[in-house]
Amino acid sequence: MKIGKRALLLAAMLATLTMVLAACSSGTSSKDKTATAGAGGAKTPAAGATTAATKAATGAAGSITVKKGDKIKIGISTTLTTDNAELGIPIRDAALLAIKTKGTIKGFGIEGDPQDDGCAGPASVTAANKLIADGVVAVIGPMCSGGAVAALDPLSGANMLTVSASATNPSVTAQGKKNFFRTAWNDATQGAEMAKYAYTTLGKKNVVLVNDQSTYGKGLMDVFKASFTAAGGKVASEEAVTVGEKDFGPTVTKIKGESPDLVVFGGFIAEGAVLVRQLKDAGVTASFMGADGIADQKYIDQSGGAAEGSYVSRGPKPTDTKLYDAFAAAYKAEYKKDAGQFTEQATDATNIVLAAIEKVATVDGSGNLVIDRQKLIDAVAATSYAGASGQIDFDAKGDRKVVGAVNEIDQVKSGKLTRIQ
Amino acid sequence: MQEWIQLLIDGITIGGVYAVIALGYTLVYGVLRMINFAHGELFMMGAFTGYYTLNGFEKHSSLNDSVPVLTIAIAIVLGMVVAVTLALVMERIAYRPLRRAPRLAPLISAIGVSILLRNIMLRATNAQGKVYPKVFPRTAVEIGEIRLLYVQIFLIVLSFVFLGLLYLFIQRTKAGVAIRAVAEDRDTASLMGINVDRTIMTTFAVGAALAGAAGVVYGMFVTTATSGMGFIPGIKAFTAAVLGGIGSVPGAMAGGYFLGISEAISTKFFGAQYKDVVAFVLLVAVLIFRPWGLFGKREDKRA
């Protein structure tokens, strides 16, 4: 019986640890899912890490060689498990489509190497190490800000070109890693614009902020709070929800008690759709505002009609939508689904990477393709690209330069996201 | 005051769900001394079965509008059937071969089953959350500021009904007596002519039926089904079971409500970001002073 008690204690500790980890990283159960994740299957982590270290040493010094007949590998670090996969899988699909469309570079085939980054630190680092060990030329991702902050350590150690389509938190580029770029916009600008819109245009003075405890969600709400209070608005309270939960009853009750005129949410679709519905169910009449993490038709569908009227901030669609429309049509033809949030940034990120490889790759005497890592990064830094998500230029930190409007505000009207500013 | 009552109601709502799931943990632990970590996934499978059933009725008939009572009843029964089937298969394939193995082996096997089920549903749904059709009107009973959705009342009442039925089943039926006997001492029970294998299967089936039914009703309440939705309630229900004293049926019930209500109240004080901290601090505190839980029996007495 003694053993029984011990096993029980161990189980209890395991459960507690899992919860704590899930809470810290806010990537639900990312820990135990990593093992099963990824299309390539998991090699032993120890072996992967060793190869990663050796490769990083040689890689940092110079270049990567793709042997004649081999394919150029492009790593894709995105969220393939947990509820956040509903954003992550379309990002992967968009990147794979761009790779497929490109076909070859200097006679070499290209293939995607998708890995599950769990939208959180630990899993993203595992994914990064796996990609480095796989000998990829560049990485599209990581998907989430929390994952990107952590994964940039091994990735910059390997001098690996990394372009994220969706990691928007200011802290990602604030680290000053030279190998990192993003085709998404920095939340420092987005959060401020949201606050301005809420205060000035909508005339909201008393708000409740809700975040999903992720680097992205919390970070965006922090920026919003700073700008909103500076403008003279009042933040009645700051709440949080746990990723993976579906019943936010007590939080909703607390929000109702504050009688705000606007509820602002920083997080992703799964929690956003549930929250907006439960607010409505509880009779909260305040408007609801979210950001790019929920700027997707799935948010509206999953809310069961409660999303109607909510405001959604997102990166601005270019005024000329020709390129976007072409991409959306190609995506729909390939996957029989509408292109969702971040897919246009993902296709642009992939195309920028592929164009840079094409520019710097040289075929050596024995017919191998040699790509200098530093030159590749420099080529991306000098990019000026007109893509599906608009004109893309990078500043010195790797952030996407703001051209024209910083963000657009959509409102859900008749079950569709409709641009109102 | 009204806010407090509302919080209490919120706590009872989720607490009932924890309690019903916790029973599955506690029953299986009672007979096998193992934690079935895949139990939360049975809850999730129940929620999906409910979705597919109700959505099927919605698409191919008008029964959801004319006789919602019937379609909801069918959804709940089907949810139970699917969960029970899965539990029996799970028991046969993943647990029975390990019954005489060291205790950690079936635990790891259970975690494996949990990951497997979650990822099967992730693939099957292509990571898309499923939205329940509107079977229950989203209207509410309002008393002052207090608001209770009809579906919430249904969830609360049904939890009580399930708990009551289970209690009667364990206390009054032959199968219930057999479960208690196997829990007391498996070898002696088998000497007394109790079919241990069958009793263990009954235990799994009963726990799974509760989880499956809870999944359907919870799915109607939150109106979504996702592959990850069983994980947190599963962990919380396990906590509730340990809190109440694992192996004890009234303990699991009390533990569920205790956990749900304390989470709701702590949200008011510290915000929801700390409610898990509060829940686990409570768990640790209880285990320090009463390692056998609130209602559990001291294991060393029985050894």
Side-chain angles (χ1 to χ4, degrees):
Chain A
M1 276 306 118
K2 227 177 174 174
I3 304 169
K5 218 189 228 163
R6 263 194 209 153
L8 185 63
L9 247 172
L10 194 77
M13 278 162 68
L14 199 78
T16 316
L17 191 76
T18 319
M19 280 310 291
V20 167
L21 271 179
C24 290
S25 61
S26 95
T28 31
S29 71
S30 48
K31 184 175 68 89
D32 50 21
K33 272 181 181 164
T34 323
T36 55
K43 282 179 197 159
T44 54
T50 333
T51 3
T54 16
K55 278 239 174 78
T58 53
S63 57
I64 183 156
T65 305
V66 182
K67 289 226 169 61
K68 197 175 172 178
D70 282 358
K71 283 185 168 179
I72 302 169
K73 274 193 183 174
I74 308 290
I76 303 167
S77 164
T78 185
T79 305
L80 302 175
T81 58
T82 76
D83 292 350
N84 283 336
E86 60 191 352
L87 279 170
I89 290 176
I91 290 176
R92 176 197 68 187
D93 290 348
L96 288 176
L97 178 59
I99 289 169
K100 190 178 154 193
T101 311
K102 180 76 180 170
T104 56
I105 291 176
K106 302 202 166 149
F108 285 76
I110 321 165
E111 67 177 358
D113 182 1
Q115 297 294 333
D116 180 32
D117 69 14
C119 194
S124 296
V125 171
T126 311
N129 283 327
K130 173 79 167 70
L131 289 173
I132 294 167
D134 283 355
V136 300
V137 176
V139 172
I140 308 299
M143 169 168 143
C144 298
S145 302
V149 169
L152 270 181
D153 212 38
L155 288 171
S156 66
N159 210 21
M160 176 75 73
L161 170 63
T162 306
V163 186
S164 175
S166 52
T168 51
N169 189 270
S171 65
V172 183
T173 45
Q175 294 185 98
K177 304 283 191 199
K178 294 290 171 210
N179 61 318
F180 182 79
F181 303 88
R182 56 181 161 197
T183 53
W185 288 267
N186 190 321
D187 276 343
T189 43
Q190 175 172 233
E193 285 298 311
M194 284 169 73
K196 202 168 99 191
Y197 188 82
Y199 188 81
T200 315
T201 314
L202 298 176
K204 307 292 183 189
K205 308 291 179 228
N206 186 27
V207 302
V208 170
L209 308 180
V210 185
N211 72 70
D212 69 346
Q213 306 180 56
S214 68
T215 305
Y216 158 71
K218 178 79 169 61
L220 185 64
M221 288 306 98
D222 286 349
V223 176
F224 184 98
K225 186 187 179 190
S227 309
F228 194 73
T229 46
K234 184 181 156 226
V235 174
S237 84
E238 289 175 80
E239 301 300 323
V241 293
T242 306
V243 172
E245 282 197 355
K246 294 276 172 270
D247 173 33
F248 304 136
T251 306
V252 167
T253 300
K254 203 176 163 196
I255 293 172
K256 196 180 176 188
E258 303 285 356
S259 335
D261 47 19
L262 178 72
V263 177
V264 190
F265 174 68
F268 297 103
I269 298 165
E271 287 71 38
V274 172
L275 180 66
V276 74
R277 191 186 45 247
Q278 291 180 0
L279 284 169
K280 194 146 278 185
D281 284 345
V284 175
T285 49
S287 311
F288 189 82
M289 183 187 244
D292 40 9
I294 61 166
D296 193 290
Q297 185 62 33
K298 288 175 207 148
Y299 159 67
I300 300 164
D301 295 344
Q302 290 178 23
S303 75
E308 191 66 25
S310 50
Y311 301 94
V312 180
S313 155
R314 70 197 301 188
K317 284 255 161 52
T319 34
D320 178 9
T321 61
K322 206 172 66 215
L323 287 167
Y324 178 81
D325 294 342
F327 158 72
Y331 185 95
K332 182 138 196 187
E334 178 79 15
Y335 299 113
K336 314 278 173 281
K337 272 182 280 185
D338 287 323
Q341 175 67 347
F342 296 126
T343 51
E344 68 268 31
Q345 278 105 315
T347 198
D348 287 351
T350 315
N351 284 330
I352 287 170
V353 167
L354 295 176
I357 294 173
E358 181 134 56
K359 204 166 138 196
V360 303
T362 49
V363 182
D364 69 6
S366 42
N368 302 328
L369 192 71
V370 182
I371 303 157
D372 186 279
R373 287 199 181 277
Q374 192 52 49
K375 276 191 190 150
L376 187 63
I377 291 168
D378 294 342
V380 170
T383 293
S384 179
Y385 178 80
S389 66
Q391 178 62 33
I392 300 175
D393 299 276
F394 298 110
D395 68 12
K397 285 194 301 182
D399 269 328
R400 183 172 179 169
K401 277 188 193 157
V402 175
V403 189
V406 174
N407 69 338
E408 71 173 66
I409 305 280
D410 291 1
Q411 191 174 21
V412 181
K413 288 182 179 169
S414 314
K416 293 264 173 251
L417 282 170
T418 314
R419 185 166 187 172
I420 55 170
Q421 183 187 301
Chain B
M1 186 58 207
Q2 290 188 329
E3 194 182 350
W4 290 106
I5 297 174
Q6 180 77 57
L7 282 173
L8 197 65
I9 293 170
D10 293 338
I12 291 173
T13 311
I14 190 73
V17 175
Y18 291 162
V20 172
I21 307 176
L23 283 173
Y25 280 104
T26 228
L27 286 173
V28 168
Y29 183 84
V31 295
L32 280 183
R33 299 285 181 276
M34 80 161 257
I35 308 293
N36 180 13
F37 265 116
H39 193 61
E41 271 55 50
L42 295 175
F43 171 78
M44 178 269 289
M45 296 304 279
F48 271 109
T49 311
Y51 160 75
Y52 285 118
T53 312
L54 292 173
N55 202 44
F57 279 125
E58 184 79 16
K59 284 225 171 99
H60 304 295
S61 76
S62 59
L63 291 174
N64 275 348
D65 301 317
S66 49
V67 272
V69 181
L70 179 72
T71 56
I72 290 170
I74 292 175
I76 292 176
V77 170
L78 280 181
M80 291 168 112
V81 169
V82 167
V84 167
T85 314
L86 269 172
L88 293 181
V89 171
M90 196 191 289
E91 195 270 332
R92 187 68 196 82
I93 295 175
Y95 305 147
R96 197 182 296 179
L98 298 174
R99 206 174 284 164
R100 299 279 166 194
R103 280 168 199 282
L104 279 179
L107 186 77
I108 301 303
S109 180
I111 293 174
V113 173
S114 156
I115 295 173
L116 182 74
L117 286 176
R118 237 182 297 157
N119 283 287
I120 286 175
M121 285 322 288
L122 189 85
R123 279 218 83 91
T125 59
N126 205 7
Q128 287 262 21
K130 297 290 180 197
V131 184
Y132 270 64
K134 283 201 175 83
V135 186
F136 248 102
R138 303 299 285 180
T139 41
V141 181
E142 287 184 72
I143 312 154
E145 284 291 298
I146 301 163
R147 224 177 129 92
L148 260 165
L149 289 174
Y150 285 117
V151 61
Q152 198 172 0
I153 298 172
F154 183 58
L155 178 57
I156 292 172
V157 170
L158 213 64
S159 311
F160 279 127
V161 170
F162 281 142
L163 298 181
L165 285 179
L166 185 95
Y167 196 75
L168 288 178
F169 172 79
I170 295 289
Q171 295 298 329
R172 298 285 164 83
T173 65
K174 239 182 184 161
V177 174
I179 289 176
R180 281 188 288 145
V182 173
E184 195 89 6
D185 190 325
R186 194 195 299 168
D187 294 333
T188 313
S190 110
L191 290 175
M192 298 295 169
I194 291 172
N195 184 335
V196 171
D197 273 344
R198 199 159 75 206
T199 306
I200 289 172
M201 282 168 70
T202 314
T203 313
F204 267 95
V206 170
L210 289 174
V216 177
V217 185
Y218 185 71
M220 284 194 286
F221 171 51
V222 300
T223 68
T224 35
T226 64
S227 57
M229 74 185 288
F231 182 72
I232 292 183
I235 292 280
K236 292 290 179 61
F238 168 63
T239 311
V242 175
L243 201 59
I246 194 142
S248 152
V249 170
M253 298 177 182
Y257 284 109
F258 182 68
L259 190 68
I261 292 168
S262 54
E263 276 186 6
I265 303 288
S266 67
T267 300
K268 172 69 184 160
F269 283 111
F270 311 107
Q273 53 271 55
Y274 292 107
K275 77 176 194 308
D276 294 341
V277 177
V278 171
F280 285 101
V281 166
L282 277 174
L283 176 69
V284 170
V286 167
L287 289 186
I288 286 172
F289 296 106
R290 284 182 69 89
W292 52 93
L294 295 173
F295 290 77
K297 288 192 203 134
R298 297 183 77 130
E299 292 239 330
D300 45 11
K301 260 190 197 162
R302 218 164 32 188

